Amino acid sequence: MTITADQSTDLDRTRFFINGEWVEPLGTETHTALEAATGERLGTASMGTDADINAAVGAARKALDDGPWGRTTPEERAAAMHRFADALTARAESTSKLVSQENGMPIGLSSAFNGAAPAGLLQMYAEIIKTVPLEVERPSVTGSTIVRREPVGVVGAITPWNYPQVLAMFKIAPALAAGCTIVLKPSPETALDSYVFGDAANEAGLPPGVLNIVLAGRESGAALVSHPDVDKVAFTGSTAAGRIIGAECGRLIRRVTLELGGKSAAVFLADGDIDTLLAGLGMASFMNNSQTCTTQSRILVDRSRYADVVEALAEYTRNLTVGNPLDPSVQIGPMASETHLNRVMGYIDVGRNSDARLVSGGGRPAGQDRGWFVEPTVFADVKNTDQLAREEVFGPVMAVIPFDGDDEAVQIANDSNYGLGGSVWSSDDERALAVARRVRTGTIGVNSYNIDLGSPFGGMKDSGVGRELGPEGLNNYLEYKSIYKV
């Protein structure tokens, strides 16, 4: 698409951040970003080619091998990361608004996850790295061994559109702390906000090549995964894409972290409190318009409480405020794109054509004649074998499933290819904890679901490989070397 001068906006991003500079693209393809709530044009971004990826990787390799970053101390890196955090904080309000326009995220949530959290992660890992001993000497049979932690090298970070700022920082912050250099390939669906990282990195004085940003599609993303000078790939996205990336990294014997999809279960036990459930559903099941990998879209309910919970869920979703995500009173914004809206509506059609019972929603909300809005939707009497219970919708479509007793609840919760999030709702914390310990999932909440950035996050089964966040997240970016001494 060709953009004329009178169509340009101050959000246009027609250059890439490589080697500490804004450089012209080596190709001609562009992407037009549209506002999710209105369908109107936000700006234009250039799309990278394999040659742009190669230039970015080359800059990252040089910064690691020949530049100052590869020889910095933890204290020096921590100081740079704190400056980076300050620069992002200064931009937090405008960044949060931009992401809400791009993907429909309600502004309050965006302020937390795209405004505050990225700076918070930089500060957290800056402090962690100062406490990690990079060399420890141990006695051995023949003398001693120095066990040394070193940066894994050049990191290819591939990130999605649903939480673009914070999910990128899941990778950038620990990689910087470890002494790695990075090539970030963000998603075209949120084409404009990632370049805030480049502006802030320059302001913070990060050395050239330490952080490089190239917007690109799948083909050039594949070039990043396969590039011979990339030492590790960190990916967040769909399970289908994760399989391809994991297979390629396996072929290349390349380190990889995969945070993938989910079909998580919220388990409401016989002694659960409905008001507590309704108070927690906003984060557990509807966070970011349910465009969240941990969305608990399978709601399992003890049969003795089933009718009351279904009625309460229907009423809850009917009363959610749907509208422009920049309005602080809005609880559910639009889907991120027209393509994604059509995908979600397709799953609603799947539910309508099954034996499930539609109890709320099921269409486009009244009065929203622009943008990509869908009604929060609840289907009751879903079987765990139904397509609606097996596949990730990535939108506000809930499948309510009855069970008889705690053992069957655990069996149904575990009867999934995924294992990323989850929750258990009970008036007895010990009972809830006992069930939570039996569910095969990487994260699970008791009477709530709130991600803790200071604890490991990741999935089991088809939901991924490895963990991010917390002190454990640093391990993805460190290699161990043993130096034997006599």
Side-chain angles (χ1 to χ4, degrees), residues 29 55 83 106 113 134 199 253 345 412 430 468 485:
E29 184 182 357
R83 294 194 302 270
F113 281 95
L134 297 183
D199 293 334
I253 318 298
M345 295 303 296
I412 294 173
E430 289 305 313
E468 297 182 303
K485 296 171 61 180

Side-chain angles (χ1 to χ4, degrees), residues 103-106 109-110 113-114 160-164 166-167 170 236-238 259-265 281-298 331-336 340 343-344 391-398 418 420-422 443 449-451 457 463:
N103 70 5
M105 182 183 293
L109 190 69
S110 190
F113 281 95
N114 299 300
W161 51 261
N162 57 331
Y163 292 83
V166 73
L167 290 179
F170 276 22
T236 299
S238 72
E259 196 272 281
L260 308 176
K263 191 67 182 179
S264 301
L281 277 181
M283 294 297 286
S285 298
F286 292 97
M287 185 167 64
N288 194 20
N289 320 325
S290 304
Q291 296 177 134
T292 302
C293 52
T294 59
T295 292
Q296 284 133 63
S297 57
R298 287 188 300 151
Q331 297 164 289
I332 300 290
M335 299 295 94
H340 189 59
R343 168 189 164 89
V344 173
E391 298 179 8
E392 186 175 36
V393 176
F394 224 60
V397 182
M398 302 297 121
Y418 298 102
L420 184 59
T443 64
Y449 184 83
N450 294 289
I451 292 174
F457 176 83
S463 289

Side-chain angles (χ1 to χ4, degrees), residues 202-290:
N202 262 348
E203 183 177 308
L206 285 188
V210 172
L211 174 62
N212 307 272
I213 306 169
V214 177
L215 181 75
R218 292 182 180 180
E219 289 186 3
S220 294
L224 177 61
V225 171
S226 301
H227 198 287
D229 280 333
V230 168
D231 300 294
K232 180 206 164 49
V233 174
F235 172 76
T236 299
S238 72
T239 295
R243 291 186 195 281
I244 297 169
I245 290 170
E248 180 66 1
C249 289
R251 184 184 72 83
L252 295 169
I253 318 298
R254 179 160 297 167
R255 280 83 179 130
V256 64
T257 306
L258 303 171
E259 196 272 281
L260 308 176
K263 191 67 182 179
S264 301
V267 181
F268 188 87
L269 302 181
D271 63 349
D273 179 73
I274 292 178
D275 289 339
T276 301
L277 173 68
L278 298 181
L281 277 181
M283 294 297 286
S285 298
F286 292 97
M287 185 167 64
N288 194 20
N289 320 325
S290 304

